């Protein structure tokens, strides 16, 4: 007849259990509009009664209209859901024979890690060798049961986003989810399987600060769930509804914050961007080369390289990892946070092995009728993991953030140079933030931020200036720990185990010792303490002895200093 119905909000109904709409009915100048759940008998009856009164029509007529509308909307909803499912099914990428072979050749390359680094360079990402390797391996770990999490930390404009984007570009689009920000409850209402074995990348950690609890829970427990109040689709009554999101998921984010949340720090591998002058020069060189003919051709090759690595990642399978060297591996145990850092170390080994699965034999294991496939860790995997752990985990275990440590190093050079030039003791020298800005080239904001951290940890001492209001500093730090690169003590000496395995193959070795190997807490007879004592004795006796003895001891101390190297756990145990 003259009745005209308008429906809005149908697109919000993404499953068959609900049909909430905004429904308007009009006849001539009479109008009635309401928000209702068509699957609720009570809601339909209220609409029929109100519309009948407004339009001056019998309730039976409105009831028949509503039945026709319900059937029509169900058909439209069914068509929409089927189209959505078909689109999702089309996301599965099918490789051609040529693409499959090229990706397989990459994964079977004997120099796979070097090839990955080379492809990063060809894509315009220079330097950052360790960061690129760890970032790539962490992304591979998404296929493991306990993926790694990565936080890229640096000052503004240092290139942290470029590093994250370059790693993510090598991963398949269907296996990564990227957001600029995330609200506190957003993670709980994602699809139950939407994040499983995928990469969740957040542009800035600050953009997900309200969701940090859910992210930490997802990383540590592998799933998150929430109980929320909602209306029953049938009765319309309020009830408790449960939402669950399953993992595991690999978290990837960036931050400019100096002081990170301790709980987040424990769960993530912290990558620090190289902010040196040499790295800046290398970036400038690449930026200039992009304007050349070779650079323009390189941009075209970049698309091919990205597609090649994405296809290679699609070929990787989620396999179990068996490590025959677990009883020989060692790790520091003097802090409780080492429990999580040890898991990161083991996860790094697993990721390396998983990446090389096409270069290893895939073994089948039948346990109680359930067949699983696994690949075995090699000593080369452990050696590469040790190399990366020395740099990455050794850095995250430092009490100072990398940028603060860099300022401390520059400031130490400035103070020692000035004291040597003016012939005064370091304890008598005072300096201001202005001098730091002038000599180190850092901004006032950076200097204030990092100096405050150095004050708290007693690397510098604050004094009042001559005018009573200004602040000057005394440097208490004397350069300890600057002799070598970042080093994580307590790791397995791979070369020694390799030698032992050549003499006695691992398969024939006896059972591992019942007590785990731990790092001794510097006993009086330890090599490291004896070395320090020898150097100190030589230096203290230098002024009191004759010139010949002084020269001998000085040379002896210098020889010991040059020969000081990080001592592996195996060597310490022998000593």
């Amino acid at each position: 007849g003259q009745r005209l119905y308008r429906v809005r909000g149908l697109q919000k109904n993404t499953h068959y259990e609900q049909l909430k709409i905004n429904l308007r009915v009009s006849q001539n100048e009479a109008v009635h509009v309401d928000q209702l759940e068509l699957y609720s008998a009570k809601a339909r009856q209220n609409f029929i009664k109100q519309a009948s009164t407004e339009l001056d029509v019998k309730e039976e007529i409105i009831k028949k209209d509503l039945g026709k509308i319900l059937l029509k909307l169900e058909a439209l909803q069914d068509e929409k859901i089927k189209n959505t499912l078909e689109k999702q099914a089309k996301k599965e990428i099918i490789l051609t024979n040529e693409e499959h072979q090229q990706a397989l050749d990459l994964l079977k390359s004997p120099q796979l890690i070097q090839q990955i680094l080379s492809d990063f360079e060809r894509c315009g990402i220079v330097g950052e060798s360790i960061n690129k390797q760890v970032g790539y391996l962490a992304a591979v770990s998404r296929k493991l049961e306990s993926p790694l999490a990565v936080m890229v930390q640096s000052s503004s404009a240092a290139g942290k986003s470029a590093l994250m984007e370059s790693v993510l570009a090598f991963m398949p689009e269907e296996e990564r989810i990227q957001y600029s920000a995330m609200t506190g409850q957003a993670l709980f209402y994602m699809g139950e399987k939407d994040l499983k074995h995928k990469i969740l990348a957040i542009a800035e950690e600050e953009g997900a600060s309200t969701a940090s609890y859910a992210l930490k829970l997802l990383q540590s427990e592998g799933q998150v769930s929430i109980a929320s109040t909602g209306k029953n689709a049938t009765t319309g009554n309020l009830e408790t509804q449960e939402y669950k999101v399953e993992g595991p998921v690999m978290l990837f984010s960036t931050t400019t914050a100096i002081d990170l949340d301790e709980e987040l720090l424990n769960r993530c591998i912290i990558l620090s961007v190289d902010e040196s002058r040499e790295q800046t020069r290398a970036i400038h060189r690449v930026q200039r080369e992009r304007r050349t003919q070779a650079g323009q051709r390189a941009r075209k090759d970049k698309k091919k390289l990205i597609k090649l690595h994405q296809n290679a990642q699609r070929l990787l399978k989620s396999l179990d990892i068996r490590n025959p060297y677990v009883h020989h591996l060692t790790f520091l145990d003097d802090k409780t946070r080492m429990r999580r850092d040890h898991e990161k170390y083991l996860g790094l080994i697993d990721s390396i092995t998983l990446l090389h699965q096409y270069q290893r034999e895939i073994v089948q294991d039948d346990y109680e009728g359930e067949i699983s496939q696994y690949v075995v860790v090699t000593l080369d995997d452990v050696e590469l993991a040790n190399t990366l752990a020395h740099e990455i985990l050794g850095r995250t275990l430092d009490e100072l953030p990398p940028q603060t440590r860099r300022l401390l190093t520059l400031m130490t050079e400035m103070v020692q140079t000035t004291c040597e030039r003016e012939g005064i003791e370091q304890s008598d020298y005072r300096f201001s933030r202005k001098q730091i800005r002038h000599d180190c080239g850092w901004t006032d904001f950076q200097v204030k931020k990092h100096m405050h951290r150095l004050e708290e940890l007693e690397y510098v001492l604050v004094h009042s200036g001559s005018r009573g209001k200004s602040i000057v500093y005394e440097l208490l730090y004397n350069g300890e720990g600057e002799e070598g690169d970042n080093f994580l003590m307590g790791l397995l000496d791979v070369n020694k185990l390799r030698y032992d395995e050549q003499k006695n193959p691992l398969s024939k070795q006896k059972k591992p010792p019942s007590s785990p190997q731990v790092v001794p807490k510097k006993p009086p007879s330890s090599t490291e303490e004896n070395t320090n004592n020898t150097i100190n004795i030589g230096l203290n006796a230098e002024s009191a002895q004759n010139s010949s003895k002084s020269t001998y001891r000085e040379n002896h101390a210098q020889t010991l200093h040059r020969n000081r190297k990080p001592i592996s756990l195996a060597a310490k145990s022998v000593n």
Side-chain angles (χ1 to χ4, degrees):
Q2 299 299 318
R3 296 176 304 283
L4 177 64
Y5 288 88
R6 184 202 68 187
V7 178
R8 286 180 176 173
L10 179 64
Q11 69 278 3
K12 295 181 180 179
N13 298 274
T14 56
H15 55 84
Y16 294 108
E17 286 76 18
Q18 70 174 23
L19 195 58
K20 293 181 179 180
I21 60 168
N22 178 285
L23 183 60
R24 186 187 74 179
V25 57
S26 61
Q27 179 173 287
N28 299 326
E29 295 181 356
V31 177
H32 175 66
V33 61
D34 198 1
Q35 189 89 11
L36 75 155
E37 167 62 77
L38 281 180
Y39 287 157
S40 172
K42 183 178 180 181
R44 291 197 308 270
Q45 186 60 37
N46 289 336
F47 183 87
I48 291 170
K49 185 176 181 180
Q50 294 294 331
S52 174
T53 303
E54 292 290 341
L55 274 62
D56 194 19
V57 178
K58 292 182 179 180
E59 292 186 7
E60 290 77 7
I61 295 176
I62 302 297
K63 185 176 182 180
K64 290 181 181 179
D65 291 348
L66 210 56
K68 294 178 182 179
I69 292 173
L70 175 60
L71 294 176
K72 179 62 178 177
L73 293 185
E74 280 188 330
L76 292 174
Q77 183 190 33
D78 183 63
E79 182 182 357
K80 177 179 176 296
I81 292 177
K82 287 181 178 179
N83 291 336
T84 303
L85 294 176
E86 288 177 1
K87 290 180 181 179
Q88 292 178 350
K90 290 180 181 178
K91 287 183 178 180
E92 298 181 4
I93 307 299
I94 300 177
L95 305 183
T96 64
N97 292 335
E98 183 181 0
E99 290 174 339
H100 186 278
Q101 188 59 46
Q102 290 176 350
L104 200 59
D105 291 341
L106 173 64
L107 293 174
K108 290 184 176 181
S109 172
Q111 305 295 327
L112 178 57
I113 297 296
Q114 287 73 16
Q115 183 64 45
I116 292 172
L117 291 176
S118 174
D119 290 345
F120 271 118
E121 295 278 346
R122 293 171 63 186
C123 291
I125 307 299
V126 296
E128 308 286 1
S129 173
I130 297 294
N131 289 343
K132 289 184 291 191
Q133 291 180 70
V134 175
Y136 193 96
L137 290 171
V140 170
S141 74
R142 72 189 184 279
K143 294 183 175 291
L144 297 173
E145 289 303 317
S146 298
L148 299 171
V150 170
M151 179 72 68
V152 185
Q153 181 190 41
S154 74
S155 56
S156 180
K160 59 186 181 300
S161 298
L163 176 62
M164 184 179 76
E165 292 295 334
S166 64
V167 173
L168 293 177
F170 279 7
M171 302 298 130
E173 296 179 0
E174 67 274 13
E175 295 187 27
R176 67 176 192 258
I177 300 174
Q178 292 180 255
Y179 295 113
S180 299
M182 181 177 289
T183 60
Q185 302 294 317
L187 195 62
F188 293 102
Y189 297 101
M190 289 185 173
E192 186 172 352
K193 305 288 185 180
D194 287 354
L195 292 179
K196 194 167 186 177
H197 292 299
K198 292 185 180 180
I199 302 172
L200 177 59
I202 303 174
E204 288 286 345
E205 183 265 340
E206 291 81 357
S209 58
T210 56
S212 61
Y213 170 75
L215 290 172
K216 289 182 286 190
L217 203 62
L218 181 63
Q219 179 64 18
S220 59
E221 298 189 7
Q223 67 175 21
V224 292
S225 59
I226 188 173
S228 178
T229 304
K231 284 188 177 181
N232 186 287
T234 304
T235 64
N237 297 328
L238 293 176
E239 64 179 11
T240 300
Q241 299 174 351
E242 182 181 355
Y243 299 88
K244 183 170 70 172
V245 178
E246 291 185 3
V249 61
M250 184 266 164
L251 298 179
F252 209 143
S253 186
T254 65
T255 183
T256 56
I258 300 300
D259 299 318
L260 294 178
D261 181 4
E262 186 65 24
E263 293 187 13
L264 185 63
L265 188 67
N266 289 342
R267 290 171 170 83
C268 295
I269 292 178
I270 308 299
L271 301 182
S272 178
V273 174
D274 185 0
E275 300 183 25
S276 66
R277 191 172 184 179
E278 292 74 14
Q279 175 68 2
T280 304
R281 289 173 179 169
I283 293 174
H284 288 172
R285 184 179 67 254
V286 172
Q287 290 173 342
R288 290 191 289 266
E289 288 177 353
R290 289 175 184 169
R291 271 69 179 176
T292 64
Q293 184 180 19
Q296 294 173 354
R297 292 177 177 176
R299 282 201 298 271
K300 296 179 181 179
D301 293 338
K302 179 179 179 179
K303 296 180 180 179
K304 297 179 182 178
L305 289 173
I306 290 176
K307 187 175 181 180
L308 172 63
H309 280 273
Q310 289 179 349
N311 291 337
Q313 289 293 315
R314 293 184 178 108
L315 295 184
L316 291 180
K317 304 174 184 177
S318 294
L319 302 174
D320 294 334
I321 306 297
R322 301 289 173 87
N323 192 338
Y325 306 101
V326 289
H327 298 296
H328 300 269
L329 298 178
T330 52
F331 203 83
L332 282 177
D333 56 5
D334 58 336
K335 300 177 183 176
T336 54
R337 65 164 292 174
M338 299 296 179
R339 301 173 185 180
R340 279 184 173 155
D341 288 318
H342 182 244
E343 189 64 31
K344 298 176 194 175
Y345 171 60
L346 296 178
L348 203 56
I349 297 176
D350 293 345
S351 301
I352 296 170
T353 305
L354 187 68
L355 179 61
H356 291 84
Q357 62 182 251
Y358 283 94
Q359 302 179 28
R360 315 280 169 78
E361 179 185 1
I362 297 179
V363 186
Q364 285 193 351
D365 182 24
D366 188 354
Y367 180 69
E368 295 184 350
E370 184 178 350
I371 298 177
S372 61
Q373 293 181 323
Y374 67 88
V375 61
V376 180
V377 174
T378 67
L379 278 177
D380 291 333
D381 300 338
V382 178
E383 186 174 21
L384 177 57
N386 284 358
T387 302
L388 300 176
H390 286 323
E391 181 67 22
I392 301 302
L393 294 182
R395 174 182 297 157
T396 58
L397 298 180
D398 194 348
E399 64 179 353
L400 291 178
Q403 293 84 4
T404 309
R405 171 68 70 180
R406 176 165 173 76
L407 177 63
L408 180 62
T409 302
L410 295 174
M411 194 166 55
T412 303
E413 294 176 358
M414 176 194 76
V415 171
Q416 291 178 349
T417 301
T418 305
C419 290
E420 183 179 351
R421 183 177 65 249
E422 298 182 2
I424 59 176
E425 295 293 331
Q426 179 174 312
S427 58
D428 297 329
Y429 182 69
R430 304 289 182 267
F431 57 94
S432 63
R433 288 200 298 263
K434 181 179 180 181
Q435 290 175 262
I436 301 174
R437 296 195 302 269
H438 180 268
D439 288 7
C440 301
W442 289 41
T443 64
D444 183 59
F445 175 78
Q446 290 175 310
V447 172
K448 284 182 179 178
K449 194 84 172 179
H450 296 293
M451 287 300 290
H452 179 68
R453 186 63 175 266
L454 293 173
E455 291 173 26
E456 291 179 340
L457 297 177
E458 299 179 349
Y459 283 86
V460 295
L461 182 64
V462 178
H463 293 272
S464 298
S466 57
R467 290 173 290 177
K469 296 182 180 181
S470 61
I471 295 177
V472 293
Y473 299 91
E474 174 190 346
L475 182 64
L476 304 178
Y477 176 70
N478 293 313
E480 297 87 353
E482 297 291 342
E483 293 85 357
D485 297 329
N486 291 329
F487 180 73
L488 179 61
M489 295 185 63
L491 297 186
L492 169 72
D493 187 349
V494 176
N495 291 328
K496 183 180 183 302
L497 183 58
R498 202 187 299 273
Y499 174 76
D500 293 341
E501 190 177 12
Q502 290 175 356
K503 294 174 61 179
N504 299 305
L506 191 63
S507 58
K508 298 181 180 180
Q509 287 182 5
K510 298 180 180 179
K511 294 182 179 180
S514 57
S515 59
Q517 301 182 44
V518 297
V519 177
K521 300 182 178 179
K522 294 185 178 180
S525 59
S526 66
T527 304
E528 183 178 1
E529 184 172 342
N530 289 341
T531 302
N532 290 332
N533 291 338
T534 305
I535 296 175
N536 292 332
I537 291 172
L539 295 177
N540 293 333
E542 183 178 17
S543 59
Q545 302 297 328
N546 55 48
S547 59
S548 61
K549 291 184 178 180
S550 174
T551 303
Y552 168 77
R553 285 177 174 154
E554 182 178 357
N555 293 337
H556 180 58
Q558 291 176 354
T559 301
L560 286 175
H561 182 73
R562 287 194 300 270
N563 293 333
R564 282 177 65 189
K565 296 180 179 178
I567 301 172
S568 68
L569 181 60
K572 277 196 170 188
S573 298
V574 173
N575 290 333

